[in-house]
Amino acid sequence: MSTVHPPRILVVEDHARLRSQIVAVLQAAGWRVEEASDGRLALQMALEEPPDVLLLDLGLPGLDGLDVCARLREQADRHVPVLMLTARDTLSDKGRGFAAGADDYLLKPFASEELLWRCQALSRRAELGRSPVLQRGPLRIDRRSGEAHCDGRAIAVSGHAWRLLVALAEAWPRTLTRSELLQQLWADEPPASDALRSHLYTLRRELGQDQHLVRTVHGVGLRLDVPLDGGG
Ligand code: CA
């Protein structure tokens, strides 16, 4: 998957002048930049639309950088690369940053070149990590070749049943609601009333003895029933 669009970065820094300097440097280098000056708002923004890189100041009003990072790691459904920004340079501060889930660290004051290099490195690493293959417990789903296997056994699904499987694997560990599923499978053309049920039946039939992997969450929707350490 190549990045057609310029990478998106969320710059979280409460010092207005420093923030606008950082934003200017990143924009000049072609990044799409969003900004926040408050930890709580930053967390909300990063969860709603995960950026390619989160540049996160340590000392922030609302919620400090360590808390933002730790909560993001708990709540986000994918890994958001975090570059922690701080004036503190003791070993224990760095340790706390990494323990909270930061990917990299940059000390103030810094040269704008170094800021750019580190942001680019994080974004590139994250893109390399976005493999076309999703491993979910025993399920291996190759979005490029369109093939799926369960414990090595080929799962022959195509069309909407395939899209249903991919949507569930991409959203995992989250439950997809019925309306999200309808939107992802059919976009703006609503299907006949029982279409989702019939594709779910097809998918489960193909999974056979492993059909419990696609679990109905009553009154909500569907999710892949794979333990949290079963991803890849
Ligand atoms: Ca600050």
Side-chain angles (χ1 to χ4, degrees), residues 151-228:
D151 273 333
R153 181 173 58 87
I155 304 296
V157 282
S158 58
H160 285 94
W162 164 258
R163 284 160 72 180
L164 172 59
L165 178 62
V166 171
L168 291 169
E170 287 177 342
W172 177 88
R174 209 161 63 78
T175 298
L176 280 178
T177 65
R178 190 183 154 77
S179 65
E180 282 175 317
L181 285 163
L182 295 178
Q183 172 69 32
Q184 291 201 23
L185 269 66
W186 286 277
D188 297 326
E189 299 163 54
S193 60
D194 263 359
L196 180 59
R197 188 201 296 246
S198 112
H199 296 303
L200 176 60
Y201 175 80
T202 304
L203 176 57
R204 283 190 171 139
R205 192 188 56 206
E206 287 303 317
L207 284 167
Q209 63 191 31
D210 297 303
Q211 59 180 276
H212 62 274
L213 291 173
V214 178
R215 196 179 121 204
T216 301
V217 182
H218 288 288
V220 185
L222 297 170
R223 70 182 289 258
L224 276 192
D225 198 6
V226 173
L228 258 178

Side-chain angles (χ1 to χ4, degrees), residues 123-165:
S123 146
R124 207 166 36 231
R125 219 188 298 160
E127 196 191 347
L128 287 175
R130 254 174 257 138
S131 155
V133 176
L134 299 170
Q135 186 77 44
R136 301 289 183 252
L139 281 170
R140 183 185 161 83
I141 297 149
D142 188 332
R143 290 171 289 184
R144 193 164 41 197
S145 69
E147 291 170 338
H149 292 83
C150 188
D151 273 333
R153 181 173 58 87
I155 304 296
V157 282
S158 58
H160 285 94
W162 164 258
R163 284 160 72 180
L164 172 59
L165 178 62

